[in-house]
Amino acid sequence: MTTMKRRLTSTLVAASAAALLASSPATASSEAHGPEITRQQWSFGGFRGQYDQAQLQRGFQIYKEVCSACHGLSRVYFRNLVQPGGPGFPEESVKALAAEWPNQITDGPNDEGQMFERPARLADPIRGPYKNEKEARAAQNGAYPPDLSLIAKARGVERNPSWWTHPFLMLGDIFASYQEGGADYLTALMTGYVDPPADVKVNDGMYYNTAFPGHQLAMPSPLSADAVPYSDGTKTTVENYAKDVSAFLSWAADPTLDQRKRMGWQVMLYLFVTTVLLYLGKRRVWSKIKH
Amino acid sequence: MSGHTSSYEPTSRWGKWWDERLPIPRMMHGQFVAFPTPRNLNYLWTFGGILMFCLIAQIITGIVLAMHYQSSDVLAFNSVEHIRRDVNFGWLIRNMHAVGASMFFIAVYIHIFRGLYYGSYKAPREVLWILGVIILLAMMATAFLGYTLPWGQMSFWGVTVITNLFSALDTIYTGLGTAIVEWLWGGYSVSGVTLNRFFSLHYLLPFVLTGIVILHIWALHVSGQNNPTGLDIKEPSESVPMHPYATSKDIVGMFAFLILFAWFVFFLPDYLGHPDNYTEANPLVTPPHIVPEWYFLPFYAILRAFTGSFLGIPLGSFAKLFGVLAMFAAVLILAFAPWLDTSRVRSAKYRPLFKWAFWAFAFTCVALGYLGSKPAEGVYVMWAQIFTVLYFLFFLVAMPVLGLIETPKKLPRSINEAVLGPDAAAAKH
């Protein structure tokens, strides 16, 4: 009886030990994934982070002067550029910006039953140059420049640690509240244009990029140093451009982050204090009862 | 418990008036104030209350979301963005609902593992336990339907993969599976029609769930709560009234849990989701890896463990059917635990071998969860197959065999002896 028990216990131990020690599954299919993406320092990162208004303004400038040539931002409205927690431009300058925005709004029908184009107003979305996907593909050699409103949320950084470090890294991310994978990826993408390795043949109309999955994408390197002048003294390097526009696109995808994190602290404080008080109350209630 | 009678005495005229007509205050007092609870419950027993909170929070946030949501394939994704951006505190309600689903599952899994460890499924609590398994199934169905509604890429392709599972029935009777799948879809592919009916069912199921939860609580109040010793309450001094004792402890557990809940709602709202769901559903573009929400990953790993062969056994065209059956069996087998376990002792505290098996099973579930998040290729498949076998071995071998061969540790004679020590307990007599 006891030998049988011991044998059973040792089988169980052996089974779990085998599970722990044998070859690491993480070595499989590492080819399918992109390279490790560097984590940047973001003012809005972590649980205390808030957007840096000056950075959002610079980021919008990059979007306007560079990205908007091909990409729309149609879930963001001109009015959002005025609101607190965002770039916070003065209302008058955004009104003027909307009126001059080259991609006008299709409105109508008018009294004659015709649709017409009119300049944008504060209440209108920030449109890209193409009316629809077909028009975009026709103009872009078959490629489709996606709308950028949600791009920072729709991209992430996939890490592939070995299976036994995985839970610890996960807990680390939860504790540090890491949510900036999209911004990290976008920065890596925009600074990731290099000459292809000798053994890689880049297809016609494609460009080599270290961060892009598969390494070949149809967008040429969008940023070059000193292409956009900054008025606040920030160095006009590709790296700064990339980080500023990534920060701006993070705001575009998550415009309520500032309010969310501020309120989060108030809620956490309330919960901590209440939990402690309730615990003290519970101890008092149970003080005469051994349990 | 069944023998427990209410000590409720209405004091006001209003109270007496009701007591003679519809004695709800009497029932509430008997079941939730004076109700005897074991004195030795630990914090794992607070998860029942936590789950009640989760259910109510999901229903309230869900009703508010439904006021702003549009269940059409053209408008659904935009309406969720409208909620996030333009509805007052819409981001908060939406985060609470999305994170709330995950928190609901964290709590329910802890609740289930607590039941497995302390033998809460054993007689006389079989019906209580089976109602719990039905609740788990209803929760899974509700969560799956709900994940469709944002109509992102992962919503769309998750639904496509999971509803397609029923086509495995074609291997039993030609055309049967396809007919069921098309009936579920309301067409020949996942479309706006599917989305609309899934929204309708997602709204319906939580109320069905609430009904089963009421039965679950009713059954609990007939047999009474289990406790860490697994022993029955033998005398009144082994229990304390639910209020203020159990309630004061429950609320501490609930607020501690809310700290975790709020951490995700405010600081990590998208951590438990997938970036692909921020891209609108597109039937023409398949994501590279289709993964379900984290709480389904262990079952997803079991489903995908059945490739062309299983641990070297060729399965041929039946592979998919076996995978589907194994996945459903993995949940349903829980319902048989009361009869698979042959031990007379409830709590694993006094079961030296079962304790090992329990932790091996817990490790198996986590390992399957990890494997479910990985592509079904290479060495992952082999490990998923091994852990699938271990998952079922726990129920089919460890539960029946360990009960027969293990010698349990010496049980305390009563809850009082376990809590107060043998001398003090004896002095009480």
Side-chain angles (χ1 to χ4, degrees), chain A residues 224-241:
Chain A
S224 52
D226 305 325
V228 181
Y230 276 159
S231 57
D232 64 354
T234 308
K235 283 219 173 76
T236 50
T237 60
V238 170
E239 174 119 325
N240 279 347
Y241 288 156

Side-chain angles (χ1 to χ4, degrees), chain B residues 388-400:
Chain B
T388 299
V389 171
L390 287 174
Y391 182 96
F392 286 103
L393 281 183
F394 173 73
F395 292 99
L396 297 175
V397 177
M399 275 196 167

Side-chain angles (χ1 to χ4, degrees), chain B residues 63-259:
Chain B
I63 287 172
V64 177
L65 286 177
M67 294 173 186
H68 302 280
Y69 173 76
Q70 306 278 336
S71 63
S72 115
D73 54 347
V74 183
L75 300 172
F77 190 84
N78 288 330
S79 70
V80 173
E81 280 308 308
H82 163 70
I83 290 168
R84 285 186 67 226
R85 290 161 188 272
D86 293 331
V87 174
N88 290 333
F89 295 101
W91 59 269
L92 177 60
I93 301 288
R94 181 257 187 187
N95 286 354
M96 281 172 71
H97 198 71
V99 170
S102 283
M103 293 299 139
F104 207 160
F105 274 95
I106 288 177
V108 88
Y109 284 147
I110 294 174
H111 192 64
I112 292 169
F113 274 99
R114 189 270 287 150
L116 284 173
Y117 187 82
Y118 293 112
S120 303
Y121 48 89
K122 292 159 82 79
R125 298 186 180 84
E126 301 96 323
V127 172
L128 171 61
W129 175 260
I130 290 170
L131 285 166
V133 176
I134 297 171
I135 290 171
L136 175 65
L137 280 170
M139 268 179 71
M140 288 176 148
T142 311
F144 166 71
L145 294 168
Y147 193 58
T148 315
L149 306 185
W151 210 237
Q153 273 290 67
M154 217 37 101
S155 298
F156 182 89
W157 290 97
V159 177
T160 304
V161 169
I162 300 301
T163 47
N164 253 316
L165 293 179
F166 289 95
S167 68
L169 293 171
D170 280 347
T171 42
I172 299 176
Y173 184 84
T174 313
L176 173 67
T178 310
I180 291 177
V181 172
E182 286 171 3
W183 177 71
L184 287 173
W185 285 344
Y188 300 104
S189 65
V190 175
S191 69
V193 179
T194 323
L195 174 64
N196 217 347
R197 60 182 55 190
F198 277 21
F199 177 55
S200 167
L201 294 172
H202 180 72
Y203 208 112
L204 167 70
L205 273 184
F207 298 100
V208 176
L209 191 60
T210 308
I212 312 168
V213 166
I214 289 170
L215 293 181
H216 188 69
I217 296 171
W218 185 357
L220 174 74
H221 281 239
V222 172
S223 59
Q225 282 161 299
N226 187 27
N227 64 81
T229 64
L231 300 172
D232 291 324
I233 292 178
K234 288 178 187 132
E235 52 179 289
S237 68
E238 292 180 331
S239 66
V240 287
M242 183 157 172
H243 184 74
Y245 294 98
T247 45
S248 67
K249 200 163 187 167
D250 275 351
I251 201 153
V252 175
M254 192 182 296
F255 267 76
F257 186 78
L258 278 176
I259 293 175

